[in-house]
Amino acid sequence: MTVKREDLLAAAALGVLHYTQVDPVLIFLLQRDVNLQRAEMLRKTRTARMSGKHVIYYMAAILLIGMATSLVAWYTKLAFNALGVAGLLWFTGLYALFTVAMAAWFERCQLGASVRIFCMSVIALLPLAVFASQQISVL
């Protein structure tokens, strides 16, 4: 229902509303309509952001990272020998923080879910690729 200023003035003429209350009531009604529209838009964007397709993409990315990690698992023994446990864990923690920061940045940029999943998979798999290439060059 749309309330116009003329309707409020007519109500004031009939004595239902005081003339000084016309503008505050009109402002209140307009603000309420704007807030309801904003809430509806936010609800639509939040529900549209996560669908079954996105869950499948995330699961595929996690599966890909897990498979690559398991295939390169025997290289970790060499890394333990080269860096030691503390050095390897420190590097892993630092890279995990970098990955989380990049994921937050991609989220702020509001890129598509497919693009975010692909970029984060590449970022997560980059240390494994570098480590594997170093081991291949040693052979």
Side-chain angles (χ1 to χ4, degrees):
M1 181 173 117
T2 304
V3 178
K4 297 180 182 175
R5 182 175 170 76
E6 293 80 22
D7 297 333
L8 293 176
L9 288 173
L14 292 174
V16 177
L17 189 66
H18 195 272
Y19 281 106
T20 59
Q21 294 176 331
V22 169
D23 288 333
V25 169
L26 187 61
I27 290 170
F28 168 76
L29 292 174
L30 289 173
Q31 286 177 344
R32 186 187 65 177
D33 288 342
V34 168
N35 287 335
L36 288 175
Q37 289 174 356
R38 183 180 300 147
E40 181 67 23
M41 287 174 46
L42 287 174
R43 187 187 62 77
K44 285 181 182 178
T45 57
R46 286 185 184 141
T47 57
R49 287 182 78 140
M50 193 60 144
S51 66
K53 185 172 76 170
H54 294 131
V55 172
I56 291 172
Y57 285 148
Y58 282 119
M59 295 304 290
I62 290 170
L63 183 63
L64 177 69
I65 292 170
M67 285 174 41
T69 303
S70 66
L71 292 174
V72 184
W74 66 280
Y75 283 127
T76 57
K77 181 180 178 188
L78 299 173
F80 279 129
N81 293 336
L83 299 174
V85 176
L88 187 62
L89 289 176
W90 184 83
F91 175 74
T92 304
L94 186 65
Y95 198 79
L97 286 175
F98 169 74
T99 306
V100 169
M102 289 302 296
W105 183 74
F106 283 133
E107 184 70 27
R108 262 186 280 130
C109 290
Q110 296 180 349
L111 296 173
S114 303
V115 174
R116 288 194 314 256
I117 291 170
F118 176 75
C119 291
M120 293 314 300
S121 298
V122 168
I123 290 172
L125 292 173
L126 188 64
L128 297 174
V130 168
F131 193 65
S133 68
Q134 288 175 347
Q135 293 305 316
I136 289 173
S137 66
V138 170
L139 297 175

